[in-house]
Amino acid sequence: MPASRREHLLDTAIDLFSEQGYRATGIDTILAKAGVAKMTLYNHFKSKDELILAALRRVDERTRAHFAEEISRRGATPEDRLRAVFDDLERWFADPAFNGCLFIKAAADYPDARDPIHALAAEHKRLIRQFLEGLAREAAARDPAGLAQQLQLLFDGATVQAQVCGGTEAALQARTAAETLIQAAIRPLPQS
């Protein structure tokens, strides 16, 4: 089967997982929306879990590439790049296709940390935090790891808030809180 059928199946699954969640989305629903036979699915994926893992890997690659590109485009200085992490949230939350974070949903639907789906979600979050730590280090934050964790908490918290409550207010509040954290982490300590 052509790779494009596999890609179409993956894209369809990603859309449905985003809209409905992982456990609530059945194989038959994916097949019907993709317009493919069950044999097509099983020629590429041994199970629904394997399809979920492939979908998450694709979203991880796309998300991290988009994230890095947007931050570079929006931020001229290291400090600006830290702020840029929050600049695109309002656009994302306002998008009619916004349904929250697929990795947070995966961890919720597969709560056992030993489950490969949960582990992949955790790995994505670790890689994002590592990226943020690199930005914080470039901006000469006193505690790059601590700042990265704080910013990730704001980002993920705003994402959940927007998913649950709707609207873009969470993006604006997260940006304001991030500015405070960034200034405090980078500003020189007062001399005694």
Side-chain angles (χ1 to χ4, degrees), residues 136-188:
R137 190 168 282 107
E138 289 173 16
R142 286 185 296 283
D143 178 9
L147 180 59
Q149 186 169 12
Q150 292 168 348
L151 294 178
Q152 187 174 32
L153 286 168
L154 279 176
F155 190 94
D156 287 341
T159 301
V160 171
Q161 182 75 18
Q163 178 186 347
V164 172
C165 300
T168 59
E169 183 62 26
L172 302 172
Q173 295 300 324
R175 175 67 161 85
T176 300
E179 181 62 38
T180 301
L181 290 171
I182 292 165
Q183 286 181 13
I186 296 172
R187 184 179 321 126

Side-chain angles (χ1 to χ4, degrees), residues 99-131:
N99 289 304
C101 173
L102 279 166
F103 299 95
I104 293 171
K105 286 181 178 189
D109 275 2
Y110 296 87
D112 184 346
R114 296 167 297 183
D115 187 295
I117 294 169
H118 185 102
L120 187 56
E123 176 66 5
H124 171 78
K125 294 300 181 181
R126 186 192 68 74
L127 290 170
I128 294 294
R129 189 171 50 254
Q130 185 177 38
F131 178 75

